[in-house]
Amino acid sequence: MKGLGNFSNIANLMKQAQGMQKKLAELKDELEREEVSASSGGGMVTVSMNGKQKLISIKIDPTVVNPDDAAMLEDLILVAVNEAQDRIQELVKERMMSITGGIPIPPGLE
């Protein structure tokens, strides 16, 4: 019967979707344990961030701490944090693509 064949296809799609949901949950757990670091100013400021884009640490070379030039230190921190976020986003994108077989998942659905 043709109708039962369609039901079988739907059941297979549901099974695949459930498998993908499980893999996505595992990926989220895995990413939480990942750590990415980024530096600016030739290593004067280094930040580390986890896969959930939570800042883990900031290391500042003492030679860059100048009370008369706080703006430069602020800029170095911003650059390092933004670079770390970009690296995490790229890591998440790569991992998501491996789970979905190359099909991008729209933002907010991952």
Side-chain angles (χ1 to χ4, degrees):
M1 291 183 147
K2 204 171 200 173
L4 291 178
N6 288 338
F7 180 74
S8 176
N9 288 340
I10 292 171
N12 284 336
L13 285 174
M14 292 297 290
K15 190 174 185 177
Q16 288 175 348
Q18 288 172 341
M20 192 175 293
Q21 280 181 323
K22 182 181 178 189
K23 288 180 182 178
L24 288 173
E26 291 169 356
L27 174 61
K28 285 182 180 183
D29 290 340
E30 181 182 313
L31 285 171
E32 204 164 318
R33 293 185 300 273
E34 287 282 342
E35 187 175 316
V36 171
S37 295
S39 297
S40 64
M44 289 190 276
V45 173
T46 301
V47 299
S48 295
M49 190 174 284
N50 72 11
K52 297 282 191 174
Q53 294 189 19
K54 300 293 181 189
L55 205 53
I56 298 169
S57 70
I58 299 175
K59 294 185 177 148
I60 300 172
D61 184 322
T63 62
V64 77
V65 180
N66 178 352
D68 297 327
D69 196 6
M72 181 185 73
L73 180 56
E74 291 166 352
D75 288 344
L76 291 172
I77 292 169
L78 283 173
V79 168
V81 168
N82 288 333
E83 177 64 25
Q85 284 179 321
D86 290 346
R87 289 180 183 184
I88 288 294
Q89 289 172 355
E90 189 60 33
L91 179 65
V92 169
K93 181 180 173 184
E94 288 171 12
R95 300 279 174 87
M96 293 294 281
M97 296 283 277
S98 71
I99 287 175
T100 63
I103 300 170
I105 293 180
L109 294 180
E110 57 280 312

